[in-house]
Every structure is written in C-alpha cells, then in structure tokens.
Amino acid sequence: MRRRELWLGRRLGAWAWLLHRLAGIVLALYLVVHIMTISTARFEDGAAFDRIMRTFNNPVVKLLEILLIAAVIFHMANGFRVILLDFVLGIHHQKALLWAVMGVGAVILVAVAVTLLPLALASGAR
Amino acid sequence: MPIDMNEVTFKVFRFDPEKDKKPHWQRYRVALRPGLSVLEGLLDILDHQDGSLAFRFSCRGAVCGICAMYIAGTPRLACRTQVAELKREEITIAPLPGLPIIKDLVVDMKPFFAKYEQIRPYFLADAVPGEKESLQTPQQRRALAEYIDCFLCGLCHAACPVAATDRRYLGPAALVKAYRFIADSRDGHTDARLALALGEDGLWRCHTIFNCVEVCPRGVDPTHAIQEMKRLAVWRRLAGKTRP
C-alpha cells in the first residue's frame, strides 16, 4: 500500500510548472482547431472560411481570444524563465524571476487587451 | 488559533497491514505546552493514549532525518515542526507518499535507497590512489559542504511531483549525491557519474519545480545541483567528451 499525493503546497515554483503545462495543452488543442479553421479556405473558393469567420465575429470569441493570448504570454514568459534556469541563471531567485517575467507578461497582456477589447465590443454590433 | 487554546487534535493516518484492509484516520487530543513539537506530541500519544501507534524517530533534534512525514499537508520533519507554528486546531499527520507503508506512519525506504545506490554514492575504485591522503583546499571543500549536509530524510523525494508520478525517477536526493561526487575534487569520474545520473529516469526528468528546495530541512538546493549537472552534461557532449 502506498499513499498517492502530488504536493503543490501553494509554492510558486510548483504552480508555475503546473500552469505552464496546462497552458501548453490549451495551446496545442487550440492549434488543432486553428489549423482546421484556416484549412476551410480551400473549400468553396473561400466562402466556407468567410462563413466561419463571421460566426467567430462575436464578443464571446473575442474575449476567448484574449484568454488565449494570456495563455500564450504565460507560456512564453515562464518558458523564458525556464530557459534561464536551464543556464543556471537566477537559480536562487526563481520566485523573483517568476514575478519579473509575469510583470513583463502583464504589460504585454494589457497592451493586447486594450487593442482587442474595443474590437470585441464592436464585433457584436455588426 | 486562539491563544488560550490548550489542546490540539492530531488526525493520524493509521494502517496495520496485518489487521486493516484499508487505512483510516484516528484523532487524538494532545495537550499543548510551550515548545511542543509534532514528534513530542506523537510520543505523548504513544506513552499515554495508544501504544499501538507506529512512527520512526531517533535524534529528536533534526540531525538524523528519520522522522520525515507529511504534516498538515507538507512534507516535514516531525521533530523540527512546532505545533504552535502550524496555527491549526487539527493537524493531519500521514506517512510520506509514494513509498510502501509498513505500518501507520512508517514507510519502507528501500525504493528510496535503491535510487541512492544507483548513482554509486562512494568514491570509485581508482579515485583515491596510493596510501597518501587526498588533500583539498578549503575552497574545494566548500564546494561540497551543501551537498554533504543532506542526511537522506526523503522529504525532497516526497515533495517532488515528478517522483510522485514516475516511480523510477531518481529524484532530488539521489541526484544531489551524484553531484556531490562530481563537485568533489578527489573523485575525477565526472563522465561516469553523469552517465549514471542521465538517462530516461534521471536528470532530464527534473522540471525545475523547486518543491525539493522548499522542503529541505538542511538548506540543500537540489534543483541547483541538478541544473549544474544538466549544463555539464550538455557542454561535455558538445565538446565531444562523451558519446550519445
């Protein structure tokens, strides 16, 4: 008999690792859907693609896009941290490093949201 | 926890393979006193309430590393954990996960030490030639100090999500010891030692989660040692010193 337990312990390093994996899975799944969607451009002289794009042109999808970009940014920022750690850089400051890359990520995300949100709000009106 | 509280509950994992089909939790009330550690609380239970409770301990002073267990959701040494500092009315105490349970809080450390043996934790045959001492400068000795401090309590192994999901993963403790010999100026078997630490269940399984660093009671940084070995392995391969 063994006890099974995955200790996350609310420690930053563990959460960064777990979220990194989850974001990675989300992005991989998105990629499949994305490739399927753009592949429709081959059919009906692009009319199928236009139809799908029109369905996607609504606030919910636009908001989901912002979430998708949040996942991309998290995966990218933490990925940069992991690369630094692989070069044994900042290994004793991994938490500070996480906050630093998350800070940069947050700035990028705000810039993206400021750009996309008006589009999201306008898309429903059309 | 209110200051006037004079008792806490220990919720203890109980399992006797000779009698029980599955484990259960048993609650004990333990009187608080200043400086009460979880280990002392368990000893109080053993002495005055339930002589059948099994747990391991030896030095009572965080020198031996034997009383490693899962306390209030975190791998800790029972002797080094102050009950008052947990600030809980009920403290759950369970055996280390991932290892076969012998009885109650006692786990079989054999799989853990089998991994330790895999990295050959001793000087290799020709490492110390002749009858003369192998001298080290204080600086060379300092390079090892952190890794020699590891007393193999197994907390890091219990805290590691990779070790929890991959039973064959060498784990932080064994890998730290592999690095202890690589960092030793008297050993000189870097490539052979790296070969032992590499492979499917070795170095590259570490995903820099840092849980091992969080729980180490000796201030060892296994992640740092592992990353140093990864870097070393890559450079030596690129320099053509090792073959795939």
Side-chain angles (χ1 to χ4, degrees):
Chain A
M1 223 230 60
R2 290 165 202 246
R3 232 166 49 78
R4 299 226 140 273
E5 182 132 11
L6 198 68
W7 189 66
L8 292 171
R10 297 179 296 279
R11 304 302 206 273
L12 276 181
W15 285 115
W17 164 74
L18 193 68
L19 286 175
H20 194 83
R21 302 260 142 163
L22 291 176
I25 292 167
V26 166
L27 295 180
L29 292 177
Y30 164 74
L31 210 58
V32 174
V33 178
H34 177 63
I35 290 169
M36 279 163 69
T37 308
I38 56 173
S39 299
T40 58
R42 287 169 48 99
F43 307 120
E44 301 172 33
D45 286 334
F49 179 77
D50 289 342
R51 220 164 35 239
I52 288 177
M53 283 302 107
R54 269 197 301 279
T55 357
F56 282 175
N57 191 24
N58 70 63
V60 176
V61 176
K62 294 283 173 210
L63 287 174
L64 281 176
E65 271 174 5
I66 295 175
L67 281 181
L68 175 78
I69 288 162
V72 171
I73 290 170
F74 178 84
H75 203 76
M76 177 192 77
N78 189 52
F80 184 66
R81 166 177 166 269
V82 170
I83 290 169
L84 289 180
L85 294 174
D86 277 342
F87 283 98
V88 206
L89 292 170
I91 195 121
H92 296 301
H93 308 283
Q94 57 107 356
K95 288 180 189 175
L97 206 55
L98 182 63
W99 289 123
V101 295
M102 285 304 114
V104 174
V107 171
I108 301 173
L109 186 61
V110 167
V112 169
V114 165
T115 319
L116 276 188
L117 269 177
L119 287 174
L121 296 173
S123 61
R126 263 182 286 165
Chain B
M1 191 170 69
I3 291 161
D4 61 343
M5 214 175 70
N6 48 23
E7 269 191 337
V8 282
T9 303
F10 276 29
K11 184 183 160 198
V12 184
F13 180 96
R14 301 298 310 268
F15 178 64
D16 181 351
E18 287 178 12
K19 282 192 243 151
D20 306 330
K21 281 211 182 67
K22 41 179 207 183
H24 63 278
W25 295 94
Q26 194 165 344
R27 287 178 169 77
Y28 302 97
R29 297 291 289 166
V30 177
L32 266 179
R33 57 172 188 268
L36 181 79
S37 67
V38 169
L39 178 63
E40 285 168 319
L42 288 171
L43 286 167
D44 280 359
I45 295 170
L46 186 71
D47 289 342
H48 305 295
Q49 298 186 47
D50 189 345
S52 74
L53 180 64
F55 55 93
R56 277 203 192 102
F57 73 99
S58 178
C59 76
R60 309 181 191 212
V63 179
C64 73
I66 287 190
C67 61
M69 44 187 88
Y70 229 76
I71 300 164
T74 299
R76 310 174 208 250
L77 293 181
C79 68
R80 202 171 178 263
T81 307
Q82 287 290 306
V83 171
E85 270 173 25
L86 292 174
K87 295 190 171 60
R88 277 164 215 239
E89 231 177 275
E90 184 172 271
I91 298 161
T92 48
I93 302 169
L96 292 183
L99 295 164
I101 293 162
I102 296 173
K103 184 172 184 277
D104 301 339
L105 303 173
V106 180
V107 290
D108 185 357
M109 296 294 280
K110 260 192 227 117
F112 174 80
F113 282 108
K115 291 172 180 178
Y116 176 52
E117 274 163 36
Q118 244 175 288
I119 59 97
R120 303 179 72 186
Y122 37 80
F123 283 108
L124 296 172
D126 60 329
V128 193
E131 309 233 323
K132 264 169 55 187
E133 311 102 308
S134 299
L135 294 179
Q136 277 190 311
T137 64
Q139 204 181 0
Q140 285 170 330
R141 177 59 178 75
R142 262 201 300 280
L144 313 178
E146 180 183 338
Y147 309 110
I148 285 176
D149 273 354
C150 164
F151 54 24
L152 298 162
C153 61
L155 287 179
C156 55
H157 193 267
C160 176
V162 182
T165 47
D166 176 4
R167 211 173 268 183
R168 287 167 311 168
Y169 173 50
L170 280 174
L175 289 171
V176 154
K177 291 299 183 181
Y179 188 65
R180 174 246 173 276
F181 285 96
I182 288 172
D184 195 323
S185 58
R186 298 164 297 179
D187 190 75
H189 285 271
T190 303
D191 289 325
R193 295 206 173 272
L194 280 176
L196 292 170
L198 288 165
E200 185 80 358
D201 306 307
L203 283 185
W204 304 108
R205 276 272 178 266
C206 168
H207 299 300
T208 55
I209 300 166
F210 293 95
N211 271 2
C212 50
V213 187
E214 300 277 355
V215 298
C216 181
R218 303 291 285 173
V220 182
D221 189 330
T223 313
H224 184 200
I226 292 168
Q227 294 299 85
E228 288 286 359
M229 282 191 286
K230 283 182 188 167
R231 182 166 66 168
L232 205 56
V234 170
W235 281 121
R236 293 184 83 85
R237 174 70 53 81
L238 288 178
K241 292 205 169 89
T242 50
R243 300 254 144 264

